[in-house]
Amino acid sequence: MLGGRFETHIGPLSASIITPPIADGGRVIAPKLSDLPHNALAPLLGERPHRLDAYPASATGIDPEWATEYAAHHTGGATALRAVCIELSESPAAPIHNDIHSAIGDHESTSRYSIQGTPTARIADVAGRNIEAWYTRLAEWVTVLTEQDLDHHHRIYDASLIAPGLRVWQGESWNISASRYQIPTVIPIDLSAWRETLLHIGECKRPPLEWQLLVQAAKAVDRGYYRRAMIDYATAAEVCLSRIVQTSTAPASKPSKKSNLHTWSNWLVKHEPILYTVDQDFDVLVNARNNAAHRGIEPSPDDITTSARCAHRIV
């Protein structure tokens, strides 16, 4: 995947995603872009910002950390991709997703491009209006495929202070109290999956609903919202089972679309015994969901863990 060029769309723009190549010695370096001065992506001396948004607007050069070895539990080696380059051009035939279209703003002009000025300035403005929605879709697909938490609005850091505002007097100085370190378990994304992901989001496609729900549930668990997570895990299972029922060719009357988890499951056991068997933790999932949704009862960590595994197995 490093040193590659991948085609997609960002809103109404054609986009080439260019990943940094590996130089001699295994070092990841800046990619070469057309019409860009050499010093624009040249190494900087001294301390450099770790985030791209920390560079001043008038910076003549940036030197991001392109990639690092991924610090996570996974099989084999993996690289964490931290920055990519994007080459953009206008493409009136590109598909526009509803949320991207609204970001441009129908009220501004009947034209997709209401910004006056040079082509470069116009493209930069349109890209800026659409990149947030584009990245959100990219993060959603990559999260499904790798099980990473890529929510950039509510980030969870692998290393963080537990109480950043607390200082404890120890010895002869004020010190921080404690810190937390987490090593995630991820599935590194391979070249074919990365290429397909960029094609999907370029065509404004989202993952199947049940996978979106599993991702949302996992994010809620990471942030301590167990009741919300419990409902999403069960809904993911329900969407999956109801879809199997509705697409089944079994010659039997099907339950109403308003049926519940047990109804979907019982019908499949009776009419699709080869395709479906009841999961061993199915009742835990159903009971915990009912308690959370109808009684406002917070599920226990054990119920969440058991239900999450059950929902994943079903989906």
Side-chain angles (χ1 to χ4, degrees):
M1 189 163 71
L2 294 178
R5 187 183 186 96
F6 309 91
E7 304 306 316
T8 186
H9 288 98
I10 298 179
L13 302 174
S14 291
S16 296
I17 308 301
I18 305 166
T19 55
I22 302 176
D24 295 339
R27 186 168 56 92
V28 179
I29 61 174
K32 293 181 179 180
L33 304 181
S34 59
D35 302 325
L36 197 68
H38 171 72
N39 65 329
L41 292 176
L44 300 178
L45 299 177
E47 187 175 351
R48 59 197 172 105
H50 292 289
R51 294 174 56 90
L52 287 173
D53 56 9
Y55 284 85
S58 58
T60 57
I62 58 174
D63 182 20
E65 187 173 17
W66 295 101
T68 58
E69 183 179 354
Y70 204 111
H73 295 300
H74 53 77
T75 303
T79 299
L81 188 61
R82 296 187 176 275
V84 298
C85 289
I86 306 174
E87 289 186 345
L88 299 165
S89 60
E90 293 179 291
S91 176
I96 298 182
H97 194 277
N98 287 339
D99 54 359
I100 297 176
H101 189 63
S102 63
I104 297 176
D106 290 331
H107 64 281
E108 295 179 1
S109 170
T110 56
S111 169
R112 286 178 178 176
Y113 304 122
S114 61
I115 305 303
Q116 303 299 315
T118 66
T120 298
R122 183 172 63 250
I123 290 173
D125 184 86
V126 174
R129 294 168 184 265
N130 288 274
I131 195 73
E132 165 73 20
W134 178 85
Y135 177 79
T136 298
R137 295 289 172 262
L138 174 64
E140 186 175 50
W141 275 102
V142 174
T143 299
V144 165
L145 294 169
T146 67
E147 300 185 9
Q148 298 178 78
D149 188 335
L150 299 176
D151 189 335
H152 59 295
H153 288 300
H154 305 283
R155 293 187 64 181
I156 293 180
Y157 294 90
D158 296 332
S160 59
L161 298 179
I162 293 177
L166 178 64
R167 291 296 180 268
V168 180
W169 182 264
Q170 293 179 335
E172 298 181 355
S173 62
W174 290 101
N175 296 276
I176 61 174
S177 58
S179 56
R180 178 189 293 112
Y181 299 90
Q182 302 179 74
I183 301 179
T185 299
V186 301
I187 305 167
I189 191 170
D190 60 24
L191 178 62
S192 61
W194 172 251
R195 193 186 304 275
E196 287 294 320
T197 294
L198 291 174
L199 288 176
H200 283 320
I201 61 173
E203 297 170 356
C204 303
K205 293 181 180 177
R206 298 185 68 184
L209 177 58
E210 51 266 48
W211 281 105
Q212 295 179 42
L213 289 164
L214 290 182
V215 166
Q216 292 165 15
K219 289 180 180 179
V221 170
D222 289 341
R223 290 158 181 80
Y225 304 134
Y226 287 177
R227 196 172 66 86
R228 182 187 307 171
M230 187 66 253
I231 294 172
D232 280 346
Y233 278 130
T235 305
E238 188 166 8
V239 168
C240 188
L241 294 185
S242 64
R243 179 174 293 150
I244 297 173
V245 171
Q246 297 305 320
T247 57
S248 171
T249 57
S253 59
K254 297 177 180 179
S256 163
K257 292 183 179 181
K258 297 181 180 180
S259 300
N260 57 35
L261 270 167
H262 271 131
T263 302
W264 299 120
S265 179
N266 292 337
W267 191 95
L268 288 171
V269 168
K270 184 176 181 180
H271 300 290
E272 294 283 6
I274 297 178
L275 180 64
Y276 175 78
T277 56
V278 181
D279 190 89
Q280 61 185 10
D281 296 317
F282 187 73
D283 285 338
V284 174
L285 172 74
V286 174
N287 292 334
R289 192 282 300 270
N290 289 342
N291 285 333
H294 304 306
R295 301 176 184 86
I297 297 176
E298 187 86 357
S300 68
D302 286 343
D303 282 348
I304 280 288
T305 300
T306 301
S307 298
R309 291 172 178 170
C310 175
H312 271 271
R313 288 191 294 264
I314 291 174
V315 172

